[in-house]
Amino acid sequence: MRTQNAMISIVIPLYNEEKYIGKCIESLLTQSFIDFEIVCVDDGSTDRSAAIVEEIAKRDKRVRLINQKNQNAGIARNNGLKIATGKYIAFLDADDYVTEGYLEKMYSRIATCDADICVCNCVELDDESGEINKYSYGSLDASEVPDKQVFSVDDIPDTIFQISMGWAWDKIYRKAFVEENEILFQDTKVANDQLFVDIAFATAQKITVLDERLIVHRKNVKSSLEYTKDQWWKCIFEMLYAEERELTNRGLFEITKKSFYNRACMYISANAYAIKSAEYFTEFFNYYRSSGMSHFEFSKISSDYFYNQNEYSCMKMMEESTEKEFLLFLKNDFKARHDMTCYELRKYDEAIKMYEGRVEKYEKIINELENKLKIAGKDKNWYFTEERYPAGKRYVLYGYGKVGKDFARQLLNSKHSKLVAVIDQDSCSVDRSLLEGVSVGGMEILSDVAYDYVIISPRKVEVAEQIKADLLDFGVPEEKIICPILDDLFF
């Protein structure tokens, strides 16, 4: 039974979500915490979404439905915010759902800490395969959070926007804080919650986190705008321009500038990889070169300013090359190899990080990837992403098997890097015909050559871990050891 003023209001915008809205609402109604209301805002649906909500509302007065003509999710959230009665407010997507204890845990945390915002973590559900990935890309990054119960932008000005992605649904807010600071959602077709979230982060005096996976977020939902957002690429720029203006008007841009520029670099480069339509890609590229580039000019900023060198390299290449050259760069980059999307590669990459130390899981994923490469019928070379590291660095390669030989050929032909030595347990049998000018021997040669990094090439996790331990015992600093199989997948 809904009270006059609920403790928590959950606003859910919906547009043609008949397949998912029931599950979303039921996951809230079965919570142990009962002092809440659900405000569903139908954005002009043409299916049974509104009817389903009305049916649920008849048996539970905590559920309300309001209707609007189609104006997009941002306006729907703003309209829900206007009528919400709760002391705290949360926003969920209609195709997501929450886990047991979500409301009780989020309420307890934000109330106990007297915070303006509480951020939780999530799991990712692939709607096509039904698989759950507990490492959801862009979810809460606890490593960026200060070691204190509450914090603000003053504690982490350079990384405030790297705490999590600009999603509204993995956070709960003190409603008075939102209203007093006049924080609203944008009316863009996609990316309409980024502005709200980042302005809230930059403005809040007390932010707290709850590193528990309390929300199940669906990916690859074919009916979602996220799934078909090629044509809405310009919304990313509209969002970034609006956020910069808003931060400036509030006197917050200078303190958050580095974090904002890293966020902008991530969003624009991610779009470059994600757009599949040739027509929309050309529009995107031409717009950036004629307008966006003069605004951001990433290539004129030192690479050290950016946290992700892949993203920076992408933007630098986009600013300095023709469209054809840029497409070739994307094609050859490891994220786009063998016609696999950036998301697919990232999914495997993150799965490997999550299951670190579980050898069987690693090998299963690697075998699946190798089978995909065989089916693709293309060259099946292993690729080391040297672009992640500064130009001119000197590498020692540990291991001269299949992966090691591919890495060696790449580095020997590279204008970016230099191979100075190869270490192999059976160094006497190493074919040195391709290694002219490269020292070959056991680990002791590390004492005789000048190097910046040692690359561990073996693919078996237990072998790579033992080699890393041996290198550390030999005195090689950990920051000089690169182990692709433990860190990332390179092709």
Side-chain angles (χ1 to χ4, degrees), residues 2-20:
R2 179 168 59 88
T3 57
Q4 186 64 32
N5 293 300
M7 183 59 69
I8 303 174
S9 296
I10 302 105
V11 175
I12 306 174
L14 61 149
Y15 178 76
N16 291 347
E17 298 286 358
E18 64 181 4
K19 182 178 177 181
Y20 306 104

Side-chain angles (χ1 to χ4, degrees), residues 269 272-273 309-318 321-337 383 387:
S269 63
Y273 283 109
Q309 291 303 300
N310 276 343
E311 295 165 359
Y312 173 74
S313 296
C314 176
M315 295 313 305
K316 190 174 189 306
M317 188 68 180
M318 190 174 178
S321 64
T322 65
E323 181 182 357
K324 182 177 180 180
E325 290 169 339
F326 184 52
L327 282 168
L328 185 61
F329 165 83
L330 295 178
K331 179 181 179 181
N332 291 333
D333 185 81
F334 82 102
K335 291 180 181 176
R337 283 173 174 263
Y383 180 78
E387 300 85 359

